Amino acid sequence: MMAMIKLWKSEVLKSIGWTLLLQIHDEVILEGPKEHRDVAMAEVIACMENPFDHFGLEPLDVHLDVDA
């Protein structure tokens, strides 16, 4: 849930014109310009792998694998 909030609030995604369209459980669908897809994918992966950053919580002890 925190990763979804990070995606929704992401300034990186907003600045390159990508928006979160749909969320189903732990899957998301975003839409934006093709020329920025690599930057968008990197931001999505970073948000999903590190969901507790910037929320004042301790990082996870395990690595979260993200399939994008």
Side-chain angles (χ1 to χ4, degrees):
M1 183 174 170
M2 290 184 165
M4 305 307 167
I5 293 170
K6 282 179 68 173
L7 286 173
W8 181 65
K9 290 183 173 184
S10 173
E11 292 298 324
V12 173
L13 293 174
K14 288 178 187 177
S15 69
I16 60 174
W18 280 75
T19 56
L20 180 63
L21 292 180
L22 182 65
Q23 168 192 337
I24 302 170
H25 301 288
D26 63 346
E27 297 182 18
V28 294
I29 297 175
L30 292 96
E31 179 179 58
K34 285 184 181 181
E35 59 267 11
H36 299 298
R37 68 177 170 227
D38 293 334
V39 175
M41 187 179 302
E43 177 68 3
V44 169
I45 290 171
C47 287
M48 299 291 278
E49 285 181 344
N50 305 296
F52 297 150
D53 289 354
H54 310 296
F55 284 105
L57 301 171
E58 294 293 320
L60 295 173
D61 291 332
V62 297
H63 176 72
L64 298 177
D65 290 325
V66 177
D67 183 20

